[in-house]
Each structure stands twice: as structure tokens, then as C-alpha cells.
Amino acid sequence: MIKRKSILLLLVPFLLNLVFCVNFITAVQNDISKRVDIDRSNIPKNILFGSFMGGRSHVKPMLDIATILAERGYNVILLASGNNVLSSEYPAVKQISLGPGMGMKNLGKDGIDEEQDYNAMKSLWEMGVISYKRTYEKYKSVVEDYNIDLIFCDLLINEACIDVANTLKKPVVVLVSALQIVDPKPYKFDPILGCNISLENESIWERFRCNFIQVFRYVYSLSDFTNQLNEMRKQMNVDLGQLTLGGFKASLVLIDTFFGFELPQTLPPYIQEIGPILSEEYPPLTPELSDFINGHERVLYVSFGTLYSTTTDNNSKLLQSFIEAINKKIIDGVVWALVETPKDYFYPTLKLSDGTQIQSSQILNNEHPHIHIAEFVPQFAILNHTNTKLFFNHGGAGSAHESLYTGTPMLVLPFAGDQMGNAQKLVSAGVASSLKLTTLDVNDILNKMDSLLKEENVKNNSERLKVLAKINSKRKYRAADLIEYILHSSSFVEYVDDDFLKEWVPAETRMGFIRAYNLDIYAILIGIALSIIGIIVVKLIKFIGFIISPSSDDQKSKKD
Ligand SMILES: *[C@@H]1O[C@H](CO)[C@@H](O)[C@H](O)[C@H]1NC(C)=O
Ligand SMILES: *[C@@H]1O[C@H](CO)[C@@H](O)[C@H](O)[C@H]1NC(C)=O
Ligand SMILES: *[C@@H]1O[C@H](CO)[C@@H](O)[C@H](O)[C@H]1NC(C)=O
Ligand SMILES: *[C@@H]1O[C@H](CO)[C@@H](O)[C@H](O)[C@H]1NC(C)=O
Ligand SMILES: *[C@@H]1O[C@H](CO)[C@@H](O)[C@H](O)[C@H]1NC(C)=O
């Protein structure tokens, strides 16, 4: 009786915890979209946005937040690799180049399997380490020249940005599109680590393999880079002691995603979900595209982003499956944004399943009435058109967000990085099917297209997620609000002070894991329980021994 009571008592803090966690989640998701009326006269005003990767997909979400802050009277500067990415679409933001743009154009050319994907990640890291010093100095000089008060860093390969902020004692806000790196959970993984996105239904061995073996392999494989990076950091007088477990220290981490697409988990207050970040305005359809899409009822839109393309063999298979899909009336039109794929990356003649031969040059020169090849496309406008029924893409976060926002089901062919994980997330959300570069097959593509277009489930899930994406797309204003709060707060509490932003840091980070989760108490209780059991067992053995062989027998046998 007593035992049962004490177990219940132990459970109370856990139950309370559960209740509060749930309340907390709903509190975070409440959106403050109305104009906040705060006195901005004495708030520090200069904000730097930094991205080492540069490129549309990394820079665009930053510029969307920067634009809101510019409208509120802040001076915003973007420092990114490449030259004036998107500067015509975002004139309010001053842009400075961090160096040459990062091309990943040829990533898919030799085909990619999981091992190669890993290598692609490694070469990115290498690039980051090699250019660390140059990048660090550039960030530092801009921060000093423009008297920057807060630094907003894209997380990917951008250690220099965060290090400069911490060294110069400036608050730093980090933006990333997946939670895996910033708040890892033992039940959520990524195909980059060779594991499923969710370990919910995996065996104990699989959970062990992912959580220990795979994580260890990954950390080990990157250890050279980590060491080189830390060496560079020492040379630049970066204090390595301030780096926390995730490898960086930030005042606030913003996640450009939303639960529904991302798998649910709890988050501490200094990590906030603010995605999907979408622009206010998008370029409209060109007259040519508008005519094409209006003239077809079931259009497939194909785009693998601005960075990726694949082999001649695979490209030809893709083109062949589009022609056959039209012939089989699965779709009636295709718009393919061939941005990075040169037109000679196709076999000159395509042989269809029924034996017909087709010259690919005819199609690539737009002589096919139902296939439109374009070099630049206003992606959002195409997806937003009611006749666009399916989006064939590479699983980039930006494309996935736009597709979810417009309720367009997806066929995903991931190339690298977070795309494998995004593909799995979209499939598990019930709005997509995924393909593999290594096993591309025309019939498989046709079957998947057909069922994505026919299945009622897919339609329903797309409609459901569309609403969720729309509601959540307002949260870029919340991101701007939070940045304003940090600046506001920094004018009252010294940034170096331990009390700065203490309101967002749960006690557990100060208490340590053992105390925060009462592990010390459990250890004592288990100790006590084991001692009691031990005493009982010893007594029992003595007692049994006494019954079986009373001491007189014992002595007899010894004499024998
Ligand atoms: C796609 O390209 C890669 C690399 O050439 C190749 O290994 C793979 O077999 C190709 N897929 C198909 C189905 O042709
Ligand atoms: C991931 O899960 C799916 C089904 O839940 C399973 O078919 C697949 O083999 C799993 N993948 C890995 C890498 O464990
Ligand atoms: C695991 O199994 C449960 C029960 O069948 C199901 O509700 C849940 O969706 C599954 N999770 C995953 C990630 O497949
Ligand atoms: C998307 O389409 C709807 C109507 O289908 C229209 O009202 C809306 O303005 C479009 N959005 C953009 C950004 O083009
Ligand atoms: C999809 O939604 C409709 C109503 O909007 C409902 O009648 C139908 O049963 C749903 N289909 C599935 C497969 O859940």
C-alpha cells in the first residue's frame, strides 16, 4: 500500500510537467500579428543578416524578416555569399557580398546515394573551414563599420557569423529550417544519419543503432573538420569555452518550419517555430506561361531548384515519363523549369515503352504542344494556379513550403542535405510520394503520379496542411517582434550580464540534467530498493538453508 502511494507521488511532478508542457506549446503558437505599439526611440537600430551559403533558398527567408524590420525603422544589411541575390525583389535591404557564391550545381551529376550525400555534406564543411578566416574578418569589419547592434545568422556552415557576434558581445539570432541540429530528440532522426525520421515504431536495436552507433560515426567523421575549425577559431581569438553542446551560443533560435510538416516535439522558449516564411508578393505568371497553364487542366510543374541537376540517363527517364504521363492522360500538361540542366544532358532520341521514338530536341525547343520548358519561372504563381495539380521537386524546404501553402501534392526526388528528410516528412504527412535517384523508373513515376492525383486522402491532407501553412505563414511578424524584443531588452540589461534573456532559459539548463530530471533522487530510491531486496534475499537464503539442511546435518556431512 505504502509503496504504491510513493510511486504515485513520484508521478505527480511528471504529470504536472506534462500539463505545463502542453500549455506551453499552445502559448508559443499564439501569434501576435497586430502591430505592437512600443516606444522605438531608444532601441538600438542596426541589424546585420549573414548567410555563408547565400543563394535564393537561404537568403529569401532572411530578407522577408529583414523587410519587416526595415519597415519598422531599423537599418538592415545583408551580408551573403554571391552578388546581390534577390536585390531587385527586396530593395529595402542593403546588400554586401561575403565572397563568391556557393555552387552545388554538379552535386547530382554523378548520381547520389546516401554515402555520396554524406560526402557532399563533407565538402560543404570543408569549404566552410577553408574560408573561415576570410569570412570571420569580413563579418567583423562589417559589424564594426556599420556599428551593428544585433546579428542574425543563417545556421548552415556559418560559424564565423555566430563567433563574431559572441566575441564582440552582440546578441545573435539564428535561423534554420530543421530542428534536428538545434534540438535533437532521441526519437527523431534524419536519413543523413542513416535512420528514419521517426523511431517511434522501431525496434530497441534500431533505436540503439541510431542513437549511439550512427551519431558516434557522424561526430567521428566530422571530427577532423571540428578540430580544424577550432584551430581557426583559436587563431582568431574566439573563446571556445562559450560554445555549448550544439556548437553555438545564441540568444534566440528561429525555426523556419511548422508542425504538421515537421514532426511534433517540445521546444524550450529560446527556440521558436516561425515558419513557413513566405513573401508578401510574388512575381506574376508571364503571358506565355499564363496561356499554357490556362490551356491545360491537369498541369504537372517540375523544378529541382536552382542548384541541382542529374545525369543524362536520369534526365532522359524523367522526360520520357512526362511524355508517357501525357499519353496515358494522367496529366495533360507539363511545365519544367530547366534551370541548371543543360539541354545536352538528354539522349538525342527517347524510346517510349510502346516503342515510339521521339527526338528530345523537339521537346526541349518547346515544339511539343503540352510540354513547356522554361528557364526562369515564377514558381509561386504557377503553384497558386488552380490548374497546377502536382509539383515534382527536389524536396527543398522553400519549395515544400510553397507547395504546402498552395495545397499542391508533391512527387519528391531528393538530391542532398535536408531533402531526404523533407521527402520522408512529406510522405508521412500524406501529401507526397518520394523517388530515389539511384532507382529511377518510368513505370514507378507514372504509378505514383496517378495515385497522387486520384487518392482522396492526398487531397484531404493537402487541404488540411494548406490551412496550417497559411495560418503559420503569419509568424514572420512574430520573428520580427522577437528580434525587436531582444534589442529592446539589450538597452535595459547589459548583453554580457547573465540576466540577459533569462526569461527564455528554462532552469534545467542551469540545474544540469541529473538534478533537472531528479535522476539523483531515482538513484537513491533504487539504491534503497536494492538494499531492501538484498537484505530480504539474504534472510531468505539463510531461512531456506535452515529448512533444507539444519546445522546438525551440516556438521555430519563435514565429518564425512
Ligand atoms: C541515375 O544516375 C545515377 C548516376 O549515373 C545512376 O547510378 C542511376 O542508376 C541513375 N538512375 C537510373 C534509373 O538510371
Ligand atoms: C523507415 O520506416 C519504414 C516504414 O516505417 C521502413 O519501411 C524503412 O525500412 C525504415 N527505414 C530505415 C532506414 O529504417
Ligand atoms: C507508430 O505506430 C502507431 C500505432 O500503430 C501509429 O499511430 C503511429 O503513427 C506510428 N508512427 C510512425 C512514425 O509510423
Ligand atoms: C493565389 O490565388 C488566389 C486565387 O486562387 C488569389 O486570390 C491570390 O491573390 C493568389 N496569390 C498570389 C500571391 O498570387
Ligand atoms: C475527405 O474529405 C471528405 C469531406 O471533405 C470526406 O467525405 C471523405 O471521407 C474524406 N476522405 C478520406 C479518405 O478521408
Side-chain angles (χ1 to χ4, degrees):
M1 207 50 208
I2 290 167
K3 233 183 189 172
R4 198 173 286 167
K5 244 186 202 164
S6 65
I7 286 174
L8 272 181
L9 275 179
L10 265 177
L11 278 176
V12 168
F14 273 117
L15 293 177
L16 283 176
N17 212 340
L18 215 84
V19 171
F20 282 124
C21 273
V22 169
N23 282 340
F24 169 66
I25 289 171
T26 46
V28 162
Q29 286 183 338
N30 282 340
D31 176 34
I32 308 170
S33 56
K34 282 181 224 142
R35 267 293 161 89
V36 190
D37 188 20
I38 55 174
D39 176 14
R40 294 188 169 88
S41 51
N42 291 320
I43 300 181
K45 291 259 170 24
N46 301 324
I47 307 174
L48 175 68
F49 288 75
S51 168
F52 177 73
M53 288 298 292
R56 203 182 163 85
S57 52
H58 285 265
V59 163
K60 199 166 175 297
M62 295 183 121
L63 287 172
D64 281 316
I65 295 174
T67 302
I68 298 170
L69 289 161
E71 280 164 7
R72 294 183 188 177
Y74 293 85
N75 309 313
V76 289
I77 298 174
L78 173 75
L79 183 56
S81 300
N83 274 321
N84 293 324
V85 194
L86 297 171
S87 58
S88 58
E89 283 173 57
Y90 296 90
V93 183
K94 178 184 170 63
Q95 297 202 19
I96 303 174
S97 176
L98 184 58
M102 296 292 122
M104 288 204 288
K105 294 180 182 156
N106 297 329
L107 259 187
K109 291 244 163 80
D110 305 317
I112 286 197
D113 54 26
E114 250 141 56
E115 202 57 35
Q116 274 166 324
D117 178 42
Y118 211 64
N119 292 339
M121 280 298 287
K122 271 185 155 179
S123 65
L124 269 184
W125 263 81
E126 208 167 41
M127 223 151 39
V129 170
I130 290 167
S131 45
Y132 179 84
K133 207 165 158 183
R134 172 178 65 78
T135 316
Y136 186 95
E137 274 163 356
K138 184 77 190 177
Y139 273 119
K140 186 154 180 267
S141 74
V142 171
V143 170
E144 284 167 350
D145 292 352
Y146 291 88
N147 201 9
I148 296 295
D149 302 299
L150 179 143
I151 307 181
F152 187 108
C153 303
D154 177 40
L155 188 63
L156 198 59
I157 328 276
N158 206 11
E159 280 77 10
C161 183
I162 299 170
D163 289 347
V164 165
N166 285 322
T167 306
L168 299 179
K169 308 258 179 279
K170 307 288 179 190
V172 53
V173 176
V174 164
L175 180 71
V176 64
S177 67
L179 274 163
Q180 193 64 40
I181 318 163
V182 290
D183 197 24
K185 294 284 177 197
Y187 50 86
K188 279 175 71 174
F189 269 82
D190 195 275
I192 282 196
L193 292 166
C195 293
N196 257 335
I197 48 167
S198 169
L199 300 188
E200 186 179 347
N201 297 323
E202 302 292 340
S203 65
I204 183 170
W205 158 245
E206 181 64 7
R207 282 185 284 125
F208 172 75
R209 189 183 70 86
C210 294
N211 275 291
F212 294 90
I213 301 176
Q214 291 302 99
V215 168
F216 179 78
R217 276 184 56 192
Y218 189 68
V219 171
Y220 180 77
S221 74
L222 291 181
S223 59
D224 274 356
F225 294 121
T226 317
N227 292 340
Q228 283 168 27
L229 184 66
N230 286 345
E231 199 48 48
M232 295 278 197
R233 283 170 157 161
K234 272 186 214 145
Q235 282 175 25
M236 308 306 291
N237 292 322
V238 174
D239 178 12
L240 292 182
Q242 68 190 359
L243 303 175
T244 52
L245 194 64
F248 66 92
K249 181 183 156 206
S251 299
L252 174 67
V253 180
L254 298 175
I255 315 291
D256 180 13
T257 190
F258 60 103
F259 293 127
F261 172 35
E262 175 68 57
L263 302 183
Q265 69 172 73
T266 54
L267 293 176
Y270 56 84
I271 299 180
Q272 299 213 11
E273 217 211 349
I274 49 105
I277 302 174
L278 289 154
S279 304
E280 290 303 290
E281 284 173 19
Y282 283 90
L285 288 176
T286 58
E288 211 185 349
L289 268 171
S290 177
D291 286 348
F292 183 87
I293 298 179
N294 283 328
H296 294 85
E297 280 180 352
R298 274 167 297 128
V299 174
L300 166 72
Y301 168 52
V302 188
S303 169
F304 301 122
T306 49
L307 294 173
Y308 300 97
S309 72
T310 176
T311 57
T312 306
D313 195 30
N314 289 328
N315 283 328
S316 306
K317 281 211 168 113
L318 292 175
L319 190 54
Q320 183 190 340
S321 56
F322 302 154
I323 300 167
E324 293 196 15
I326 292 172
N327 291 350
K328 292 192 173 156
K329 302 200 165 27
I330 297 171
I331 47 173
D332 65 1
V334 175
V335 175
W336 190 353
L338 266 186
V339 183
E340 279 308 327
T341 312
K343 291 190 175 167
D344 55 355
Y345 268 70
F346 291 89
Y347 294 136
T349 311
L350 300 175
K351 197 163 176 242
L352 303 189
S353 308
D354 61 8
T356 328
Q357 298 209 342
I358 291 196
Q359 300 302 314
S360 57
S361 62
Q362 278 183 349
I363 296 170
L364 297 171
N365 295 329
N366 275 336
E367 285 162 24
H368 193 293
H370 305 302
I371 300 182
H372 185 85
I373 305 284
E375 293 203 349
F376 166 78
V377 289
Q379 171 156 307
F380 187 87
I382 294 178
L383 291 171
N384 196 37
H385 197 292
T386 44
N387 290 355
T388 305
K389 301 294 188 203
L390 190 62
F391 183 15
F392 193 165
N393 65 33
H394 61 309
S399 290
H401 289 167
E402 291 180 4
S403 203
L404 290 167
Y405 185 92
T406 54
T408 317
M410 279 166 269
L411 188 56
V412 187
L413 176 63
F415 284 69
D418 62 345
Q419 295 161 12
M420 322 282 174
N422 289 342
Q424 284 192 15
K425 284 173 196 165
L426 292 167
V427 171
S428 87
V431 297
S433 287
S434 73
L435 301 165
K436 272 185 143 185
L437 264 177
T438 43
T439 56
L440 219 48
D441 174 69
V442 173
N443 280 327
D444 184 39
I445 297 177
L446 294 180
N447 289 337
K448 282 180 173 156
M449 275 186 197
D450 194 39
S451 54
L452 281 171
L453 290 169
K454 280 195 184 134
E455 270 178 31
E456 199 180 23
N457 253 335
V458 175
K459 259 187 208 99
N460 287 8
N461 289 332
S462 301
E463 283 301 316
R464 204 165 43 78
L465 283 185
K466 177 172 158 180
V467 173
L468 201 52
K470 283 200 166 162
I471 299 169
N472 285 330
S473 71
K474 300 276 182 286
R475 294 186 300 181
K476 63 180 177 179
Y477 294 98
R478 177 166 174 78
D481 292 342
L482 294 171
I483 291 166
E484 277 202 86
Y485 173 69
I486 294 176
L487 284 166
H488 194 257
S489 191
S490 73
S491 64
F492 292 110
V493 181
E494 279 288 318
Y495 173 61
V496 283
D497 196 313
D498 276 348
D499 283 344
F500 184 62
L501 296 178
K502 202 174 181 177
E503 58 273 35
W504 284 348
V505 182
E508 68 180 75
T509 56
R510 291 185 296 272
M511 288 172 80
F513 188 74
I514 293 182
R515 283 182 64 228
Y517 289 92
N518 284 339
L519 295 186
D520 46 356
I521 299 180
Y522 291 120
I524 293 172
L525 289 178
I526 290 172
I528 293 175
L530 286 179
S531 324
I532 292 174
I533 292 172
I535 292 170
I536 292 175
V537 168
V538 168
K539 289 235 156 121
L540 216 63
I541 288 173
K542 275 192 183 156
F543 182 64
I544 292 171
F546 179 75
I547 292 179
I548 293 177
S549 54
S551 48
S552 51
D553 286 5
D554 230 338
Q555 280 161 6
K556 266 182 197 166
S557 62
K558 261 183 194 166
K559 275 175 195 167
D560 290 344

